[in-house]
């Protein structure tokens, strides 16, 4: 089964497509949207790389935590249909505006559903998808809204993981066999301890009938922040015996047939 539009007879010509597991980006690609009103969007290169490798033009992509709609904007650029689910109405409306502003050269369908991706009814009228992308809150690192259903308001790690797993289960019901689920997640550091959210979530996906294909470590070099602040982090790291927290994971899974 072919799951992308790449012609392997020309494999040497696909310079844009990354095949290494370490993704280092010098800075945000400013062609995506980045608004000071919202923190927590991923860089457009992530959904772009994933769609180029694991979908064909005209196929359908589901983003269960749509945020500002980065996936949907890239989907329009690449000619993929895409649906995003976003619990926060303000965020969803901002996303709709941004997506609307983007040209639609391939005449694809995009839509943001305002809803809770842990709830079965949210998926009721959805079609089948050829790729699912999941970029949840990294538990409570950034509080996205006051909504109780928002995963960033989970009171305990277990509650966060149960809700996350529910999203994996429900979205996988709409994913074709042999197709990819892409998880974008970071870890958390709390009270002197590294909390490996990425690996807990990875286990949840694998328990739900998925095979792990790759773990990519992604970093943006510009995030060193203000020099003074970085010096302080470095001092603390040296003093307290840990490493400065920077990378995130992009994990690729395939739905077992
Ligand atoms: C890490 S951000 C995703 C950002 C997105 N990838 C982008 O580039 O803009 C997580 C998003 O999930 C939303 N969210 C949290 N819990 C949710 C839920 N249960 N159902 C749907 N969306 C939820 C938050 O409001 C937030 O916008």
């Amino acid at each position: 089964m072919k799951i992308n539009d790449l012609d392997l007879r020309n494999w040497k010509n696909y310079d844009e497509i990354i095949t290494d597991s370490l993704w280092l980006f010098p800075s945000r690609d400013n062609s995506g949207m980045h608004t000071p009103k919202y923190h927590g969007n991923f860089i457009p290169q992530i959904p772009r790389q994933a769609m180029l490798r694991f979908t064909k033009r005209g196929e359908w992509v589901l983003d269960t935590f749509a945020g500002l709609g980065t996936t949907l904007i890239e989907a329009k650029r690449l000619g993929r249909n895409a649906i995003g689910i976003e619990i926060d109405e303000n965020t969803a409306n901002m996303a709709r505006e941004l997506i609307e502003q983007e040209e639609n050269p391939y005449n694809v369908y995009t839509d943001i559903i305002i809803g809770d991706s842990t709830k079965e009814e949210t998926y009721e009228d959805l079609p089948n998808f050829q790729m699912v992308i999941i970029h949840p809150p990294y538990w409570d690192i950034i509080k996205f809204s006051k909504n109780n259903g928002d995963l960033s308001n989970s009171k305990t790690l277990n509650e966060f993981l149960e809700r996350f797993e529910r999203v994996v289960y429900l979205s996988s019901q709409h994913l074709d066999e042999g197709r990819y689920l892409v998880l974008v997640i970071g870890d958390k550091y709390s009270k002197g301890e590294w909390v490996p959210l990425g690996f807990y979530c990875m286990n949840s996906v694998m328990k739900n009938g998925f095979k792990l294909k790759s773990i990519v470590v992604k970093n943006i070099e510009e995030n060193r922040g203000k020099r003074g602040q970085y010096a302080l982090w470095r001092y603390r790291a040296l003093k307290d015996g840990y490493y400065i927290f920077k990378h995130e994971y992009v994990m690729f899974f395939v739905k077992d047939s």
Side-chain angles (χ1 to χ4, degrees):
M1 178 180 46
K2 200 155 160 35
I3 58 165
N4 56 39
D5 289 323
L6 306 183
D7 177 354
L8 287 186
R9 286 170 303 186
N10 300 325
W11 67 276
K12 288 186 179 157
N13 300 336
Y14 293 117
D15 285 347
E16 184 192 352
I17 295 184
I18 308 174
T19 43
D20 289 341
S21 65
L22 185 59
W23 293 6
L24 300 178
F25 296 109
S27 66
R28 277 181 178 270
D29 171 353
N30 288 328
S31 60
M33 66 296 128
H34 185 43
T35 146
K37 284 191 225 144
Y38 182 88
H39 293 280
N41 40 350
F42 51 31
I43 50 171
Q45 290 97 324
I46 292 177
R48 185 178 177 85
Q49 288 289 330
M51 284 187 278
L52 281 172
R53 276 261 343 247
F54 305 120
T55 60
K56 292 188 272 197
R57 195 168 285 168
E59 289 192 325
W60 288 77
V61 175
L62 173 67
D63 184 334
T64 56
F65 297 94
L68 280 194
T70 316
T71 300
L72 281 77
I73 290 174
E74 285 307 308
K76 267 181 138 179
R77 292 178 182 171
L78 293 175
R80 275 68 172 162
N81 302 290
I83 296 182
I85 305 172
E86 171 54 50
I87 202 165
D88 182 54
E89 198 173 339
N90 282 337
T91 305
N93 287 333
M94 280 195 283
R96 282 175 175 159
E97 264 177 50
L98 290 162
I99 296 162
E100 188 60 32
Q101 281 166 27
E102 187 65 33
E103 278 177 33
N104 192 5
Y106 302 101
N107 206 15
V108 292
Y109 178 89
T110 51
D111 188 24
I112 295 272
I113 296 173
I114 301 174
D116 182 339
S117 53
T118 67
K119 297 264 186 304
E120 194 158 7
E121 62 261 27
T122 310
Y123 298 77
E124 244 161 36
D125 298 320
L126 295 186
N128 254 27
F129 294 90
Q130 287 72 49
M131 190 176 101
V132 170
I133 187 155
I134 302 186
H135 182 211
Y138 305 169
W139 183 10
D140 54 357
I141 294 186
I142 298 177
K143 294 271 185 196
F144 284 97
S145 69
K146 295 211 160 70
N147 197 311
N148 281 338
D150 184 328
L151 262 68
S152 65
N153 293 323
S154 304
K155 298 211 171 43
T156 62
L157 174 61
N158 267 348
E159 187 184 331
F160 168 78
L161 292 173
E162 273 169 24
R163 289 161 145 198
F164 170 79
E165 194 161 335
R166 186 91 191 124
V167 176
V168 172
Y169 170 76
L170 289 170
S171 59
S172 72
Q173 302 301 301
H174 287 263
L175 179 66
D176 285 349
E177 282 180 2
R179 303 310 294 263
Y180 276 69
L181 181 152
V182 182
L183 168 64
V184 184
I185 182 113
D187 294 327
K188 175 182 149 117
Y189 201 79
S190 167
K191 299 190 187 114
E193 195 176 351
W194 193 290
V195 185
L197 293 180
F199 294 104
Y200 292 139
C201 290
M202 177 186 82
N203 277 336
S204 290
V205 179
M206 289 166 77
K207 272 197 298 186
N208 276 276
F210 285 88
K211 230 189 303 196
L212 177 66
K213 294 290 282 189
S214 280
I215 299 177
V216 162
V217 173
K218 176 231 114 195
N219 189 37
I220 301 180
E221 280 301 312
E222 68 172 354
N223 278 351
R224 296 195 158 219
K226 293 143 209 128
R227 288 222 169 266
Q229 196 183 24
Y230 187 69
L232 182 62
W233 292 342
R234 200 166 136 70
Y235 171 76
R236 286 193 189 139
L238 287 168
K239 178 165 134 314
D240 294 337
Y242 64 89
Y243 290 88
I244 299 168
F245 203 92
K246 296 178 74 180
H247 64 275
E248 288 166 287
Y249 308 102
V250 189
M251 298 182 180
F252 295 87
F253 305 85
V254 76
K255 183 168 164 178
D256 253 345
S257 37

